[in-house]
């Protein structure tokens, strides 16, 4: 029997012709920092490029401090984004307030660009649930990081469904790693988006390693973007270390999602220059030679060199930006470390609207332990 609470659904919506190939997006800034083709309109604005660089630099500073906090016992396990900063920065820069972000555990900078604070992120990784309660809009309606692999893709398809049938001018933007595309949840989510033509953009951050499993051992697919074709939607590959290219590809994908509910899968090619998490040791499975080669494509160095070539960033301005980033992160770390601890009883606050009888009994027993005679 149909669920009368759901809006009427068009069983035969008009669909564009199914894509037959993957689109490989042009790059704009080469490995040497030189422009290899005319920049898109937004990048003609020097302030926009400097702003992108500051976000990328902030991400690297934040990761460095977060790892240091973990190494000194002041933070739980943390997943840095070192080497792949251009992807979340380019994606978040293209999003509008009405979009909804569904991140994994490695897109902290995208969350901050959407209104979450760095000290929110630190609380989350410090095991404090208040770190997932973002105060600002639009971060308020974004999702907290998804730690299980690929389970966020069906959730994102559900968000896209709600946006479409609520007639809201927004798109769901879902991040996933290369390893996650080998799981059924990924295929189920993009299949639903294709069948129902939902405003969903899935960004695959292909950093070449699913913890210790290399890309070549994960799948025989020619590219990860090709997996979109089975769902009847467009797949796009982009240089994930070129922030201008990432931002431009996302801008086009998001406009199509918002205006014609066209879903898209974007594979951003990048490389994780750090361990998978602070519980990992990448030197056990990755060669020094491979790492040295990957460092030549560092997105921070690439954009910095480009800005220097254009006369937009001299040594003095670079030092000022570095100091600004360090001060911003230090302020966030101080706020995190000064956060008052919560009572043990707070563990009961967010599990159920109404606690089951057994948990009520445990709650009462805890109260006796804490405050009894």
């Amino acid at each position: 029997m149909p669920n009368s609470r759901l809006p009427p659904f068009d069983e035969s919506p008009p669909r564009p012709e199914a894509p037959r190939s993957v689109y490989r997006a042009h790059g704009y800034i080469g490995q040497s920092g030189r422009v290899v083709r005319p920049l898109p309109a937004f990048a003609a604005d020097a302030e926009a490029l400097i702003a992108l660089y500051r976000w990328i630099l902030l991400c690297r500073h934040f990761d460095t401090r977060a790892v240091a906090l973990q190494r000194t016992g002041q933070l739980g396990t943390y997943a840095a984004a070192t080497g792949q900063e251009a992807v979340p920065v380019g994606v978040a820069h293209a999003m509008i307030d009405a979009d909804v972000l569904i991140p994994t555990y490695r897109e902290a900078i995208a969350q901050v660009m959407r209104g979450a604070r760095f000290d929110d992120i630190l609380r989350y990784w410090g095991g404090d649930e208040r770190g997932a309660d973002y105060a600002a809009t639009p971060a308020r309606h974004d999702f907290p990081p998804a730690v299980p692999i690929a389970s966020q893709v069906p959730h994102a398809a559900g968000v896209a469904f709600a946006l479409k049938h609520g007639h809201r001018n927004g798109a769901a933007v879902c991040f996933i790693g290369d390893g996650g595309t080998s799981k059924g949840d990924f295929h189920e989510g993009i299949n639903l988006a294709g069948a129902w033509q939902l405003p969903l953009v899935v960004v695959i951050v292909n950093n070449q390693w699913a913890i210790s499993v290399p890309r070549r051992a994960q799948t025989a697919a020619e590219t990860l973007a090709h997996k979109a074709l089975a769902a009847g939607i467009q797949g796009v590959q982009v240089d994930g270390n070129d922030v201008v290219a990432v931002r431009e590809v996302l801008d086009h994908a998001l406009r199509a999602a918002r205006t014609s509910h066209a879903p898209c899968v974007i594979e951003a090619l990048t490389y994780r220059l750090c361990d998978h998490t602070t519980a990992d040791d990448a030197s056990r499975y990755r060669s020094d030679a491979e790492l040295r080669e990957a460092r030549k494509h560092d997105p921070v160095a690439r954009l910095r060199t480009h800005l220097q070539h254009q006369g937009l960033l001299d040594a003095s301005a670079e030092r000022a930006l570095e100091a600004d980033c360090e001060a911003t992160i230090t302020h966030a770390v101080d706020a995190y470390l000064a956060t008052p601890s919560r009572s043990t009883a707070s563990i009961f606050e967010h599990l159920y609207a109404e606690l089951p009888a057994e948990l009520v009994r445990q709650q009462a027993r805890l109260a006796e332990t804490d405050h009894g005679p």
Side-chain angles (χ1 to χ4, degrees), residues 47-80:
E47 291 187 4
L49 284 181
I50 292 290
L52 284 172
Y53 181 62
R54 180 179 181 273
W55 282 119
I56 287 176
L57 207 55
L58 264 174
C59 184
R60 188 152 295 188
H61 277 256
F62 180 70
D63 281 348
T64 301
R65 292 293 292 277
V67 170
L69 286 170
Q70 192 277 336
R71 298 302 191 215
T72 52
Q74 299 175 93
L75 196 70
T77 301
Y78 179 73

Side-chain angles (χ1 to χ4, degrees), residues 262-286:
C264 183
V265 170
I266 296 169
E267 178 188 7
L269 296 163
T270 183
Y271 192 89
R272 165 167 57 81
L273 293 173
C274 54
D275 295 329
H276 177 71
T277 69
T278 48
D280 176 43
D281 177 4
S283 67
R284 299 181 64 182
Y285 55 82
R286 210 167 55 180

Side-chain angles (χ1 to χ4, degrees), residues 7 40 58 64 82 91 119 152 189 191 200 202 207 218 223-224 242 245 265 267 306 312-313 353 360 370:
L58 264 174
T64 301
T82 308
V91 171
D119 47 306
Q152 72 276 19
N191 183 70
L200 173 65
V202 176
N207 65 19
Q218 295 175 40
T223 75
L224 301 184
D242 181 348
V265 170
E267 178 188 7
H306 169 71
L312 302 175
L313 187 71
V360 170
D370 283 352

Side-chain angles (χ1 to χ4, degrees), residues 25-30 36-37 239 242 245:
H26 293 304
Y28 293 94
I29 300 177
V36 296
R37 59 178 35 82
D239 181 346
D242 181 348

Side-chain angles (χ1 to χ4, degrees), residues 100-143:
V100 178
L101 175 68
I102 301 99
T104 73
Y105 42 78
R106 215 183 292 278
E107 283 82 40
I109 192 65
Q111 293 181 271
V112 173
M113 292 174 71
R114 300 272 299 160
R117 300 187 306 253
F118 281 118
D119 47 306
D120 290 329
I121 307 299
L122 291 172
R123 288 187 193 93
Y124 173 86
W125 289 105
D128 189 330
E129 291 181 352
R130 289 171 292 182
D133 182 16
Y134 316 123
T137 300
R140 174 67 78 183
H141 64 227
D142 289 345
F143 279 39

Side-chain angles (χ1 to χ4, degrees), residues 182-260:
S182 298
K183 295 203 68 180
D185 311 59
F186 167 75
H187 298 277
E188 292 165 12
I190 64 172
N191 183 70
L192 193 70
W196 289 0
Q197 289 294 283
L198 302 178
L200 173 65
V201 176
V202 176
V203 180
I204 303 169
V205 184
N206 180 2
N207 65 19
Q208 312 303 323
W209 288 89
I211 308 184
S212 58
V213 180
R215 154 72 175 87
R216 62 181 180 278
Q218 295 175 40
T219 175
E222 181 179 344
T223 75
L224 301 184
H226 272 88
K227 297 187 178 187
L229 301 182
I233 64 181
Q234 182 69 61
V236 180
Q237 264 197 325
V238 64
D239 181 346
N241 288 349
D242 181 348
V243 69
V244 173
V246 174
R247 202 276 188 195
E248 183 69 357
V249 165
L250 260 294
D251 185 55
H252 284 284
L254 286 170
R255 287 177 187 273
R258 296 185 201 113
T259 58
S260 58

